[in-house]
Amino acid sequence: MSANPKILDALVVGAGPAGIGTALALAAVENLTFGVLERGQIGQTFIDWPTAQTFLTPSFTGNGFGATDLNAVHPETSPAFSLGVDYPTGQQYAKYLRGVVKHFRVPVLDRTEVTAVTRKAEGFEIACPRGPVLARSLVWAGGEFHQPLDPRLSGSGLSDRAAAAAAWEPREDRSVVIGGYESGIDIACHHVEGGASVTVVDGATPWDAGAGSDPSFRLAPRSRARLARALSTGRLALVGAHASGIKREGTKWVVSLDNGSRLRVDSRPIVATGYGPGLGPVEHLFAPRSDGWPELDEDDQSTITPGLFLSGPAIRHGGLKFCFVYKFRQRFAHIARVIGERAGKDTGALDAWRAAGMLTDDLSCCGVECAC
Ligand SMILES: Cc1cc2nc3c(=O)[nH]c(=O)nc-3n(C[C@H](O)[C@H](O)[C@H](O)COP(=O)(O)OP(=O)(O)OC[C@H]3O[C@@H](n4cnc5c(N)ncnc54)[C@H](O)[C@@H]3O)c2cc1C
């Protein structure tokens, strides 16, 4: 792809699984002109993951029997097959993404940050250091990892974020993790396995098993098994209270809880309070829902900016969250078909995505409630 002012049918921003997957679906539309801009390298977020962190969704090569590997971004690929592991690390998954880009010749321009987006009569003008790019449709796939949510407590500057490498360094005797969903339980178990005593605090008690069947609201089986092992050591405590502040007292850190108690710990508290939608330079082009997530129409398009689509874990429809690869990949082929049809192109090849179980366009069937 060149960055000259010729207008593309579609431009994708971000070369993570959402951006690469959407680009692969766009490639199935006949004669569509498109490209991907990435500010770092392909799979940059995964390259930045702490080295001890792995996927919690397992990979397994079920592709031939209609059960495409949960972490695959194209029906003919499988991270389990290409990497030989079932729970990839970030580095391993970035390698899978690089392999996919190379094999399918996805046109990615890396080290090219999108700094501004302007709506024009014909589409969008996308500003980047190599000069403006024009596109009729724009797909934002910038991910969430670069926008950890503010924990909203005093003294938060005295803590380490769970996404930072420093939070995974060995902890001294007593530690505290603020936030008890997947990231919090992951890092708490990591430190218990390393010999520390850890208290996890979260007023919403997300570790409780009563949250229904949807993995977006319930700890994954592997996380629950790790949690049970960590609890059995006697060095993990789960406290159903919110942290309200952090203070330094001598060589210790003190975390105040909204139940009136205080935890005195030997190392910097760790904050694992989730991520925001990460919309960066397109934030003003989406209307926010009452919960702050971007309002989308049934095609994952901004309700205030026609032609601007969202791909990735920030997709929300009603109470449905698309925060895992196996969920948000269901929308790659749908977005590609909408863009292709608007451009007057043949989108028939996208039927293969539905056959592989990688296309959901009827969102009424997405609720997860298992009988047993
Ligand atoms: C700690 C953690 C663990 C997770 N574990 C799992 C799991 O086990 N299984 C699962 O399915 N999901 C998991 N997720 C969800 C995860 O967010 C997604 O799977 C995945 O990272 C999202 O893919 P993405 O392509 O939307 O974003 P990313 O992988 O973050 O990719 C976005 C890309 O956009 C680029 N970018 C951002 N802004 C710009 C810009 N202005 N210009 C150009 N490029 C830009 C970034 O550099 C990045 O490469 C996890 C998330 C986190 C945070």
Side-chain angles (χ1 to χ4, degrees):
M1 184 191 63
S2 75
N4 68 34
K6 169 184 140 190
I7 189 157
L8 296 168
D9 289 317
L11 183 81
V12 179
V13 183
I20 299 301
T22 308
L24 288 164
L26 290 169
V29 178
E30 203 171 38
N31 296 325
L32 198 82
T33 56
F34 71 95
V36 182
L37 297 183
E38 164 57 49
R39 70 173 161 204
Q41 302 173 53
I42 294 161
Q44 185 64 54
T45 289
F46 295 93
I47 294 169
D48 292 341
W49 267 20
T51 49
Q53 192 162 325
T54 66
F55 265 60
L56 61 95
T57 46
S59 275
F60 197 87
T61 314
N63 300 39
F65 286 77
T68 306
D69 187 320
L70 284 187
N71 299 319
V73 296
H74 185 280
E76 292 162 21
T77 70
S78 160
F81 169 68
S82 60
L83 301 170
V85 296
D86 44 8
Y87 292 97
T89 62
Q91 290 287 343
Q92 287 169 331
Y93 195 71
K95 184 178 174 194
Y96 158 74
L97 290 177
R98 286 195 298 274
V100 170
V101 165
K102 189 170 173 202
H103 179 81
F104 293 100
R105 299 183 184 177
V106 183
V108 179
L109 206 53
D110 62 6
R111 299 177 204 286
T112 305
E113 177 162 13
V114 170
T115 51
V117 173
T118 314
R119 187 83 175 95
K120 297 281 181 187
E122 265 196 291
F124 298 91
E125 182 176 287
I126 297 103
C128 66
R130 299 179 194 236
V133 180
L134 300 175
R136 289 190 183 85
S137 294
L138 179 64
V139 182
W140 178 258
E144 59 185 359
F145 192 68
H146 57 98
Q147 195 194 359
L149 284 178
D150 186 345
R152 291 201 210 147
L153 50 88
S154 62
S156 62
L158 294 169
S159 62
D160 288 331
R161 297 201 181 261
W168 294 76
E169 295 295 322
R171 265 6 208 198
E172 311 254 328
D173 302 339
R174 287 169 303 166
S175 286
V176 63
V177 175
I178 299 167
Y181 190 47
E182 288 290 358
S183 296
I185 296 301
D186 187 9
I187 198 161
C189 290
H190 167 78
H191 287 306
V192 170
E193 287 155 12
S197 293
V198 182
T199 302
V200 180
V201 300
D202 192 326
T205 66
W207 50 77
D208 283 342
S213 315
D214 188 338
S216 295
F217 300 94
R218 180 187 174 92
L219 289 179
R222 196 179 64 137
S223 305
R224 281 187 280 144
R226 282 182 80 200
L227 183 62
R229 277 198 302 276
L231 286 168
S232 73
T233 65
R235 284 186 281 106
L236 178 65
L238 303 173
V239 175
H242 278 304
S244 52
I246 305 173
K247 277 190 185 153
R248 197 76 211 266
E249 282 184 7
T251 58
K252 309 292 179 195
W253 287 258
V254 176
V255 178
S256 306
L257 304 183
D258 64 0
N259 63 7
S261 61
R262 284 157 42 101
L263 294 169
R264 210 171 147 79
V265 294
D266 303 302
S267 50
R268 286 169 70 85
I270 296 167
V271 167
T273 44
Y275 297 84
L279 298 174
V282 294
E283 189 173 1
H284 64 293
L285 298 174
F286 285 94
R289 307 191 331 170
S290 57
D291 60 3
W293 294 91
E295 189 92 59
L296 301 175
D297 71 9
E298 60 189 15
D299 297 325
D300 299 346
Q301 185 177 218
S302 164
T303 52
I304 56 170
T305 313
L308 173 61
F309 296 82
L310 178 65
S311 181
I315 297 175
R316 301 281 185 280
H317 286 286
L320 294 175
K321 287 186 183 181
F322 289 71
C323 57
F324 293 113
V325 173
Y326 79 89
K327 289 184 168 189
F328 62 71
R329 74 180 184 187
Q330 297 303 114
R331 306 297 286 168
F332 299 160
H334 183 72
I335 293 172
R337 191 170 54 203
V338 173
I339 291 174
E341 285 174 354
R342 280 185 196 166
K345 311 283 185 185
D346 182 357
T347 61
L350 289 167
D351 290 344
W353 289 62
R354 190 190 301 282
M358 281 183 63
L359 170 56
T360 301
D361 37 23
D362 176 7
L363 295 171
S364 66
C365 63
C366 291
V368 187
E369 280 316 326
C370 299
C372 51

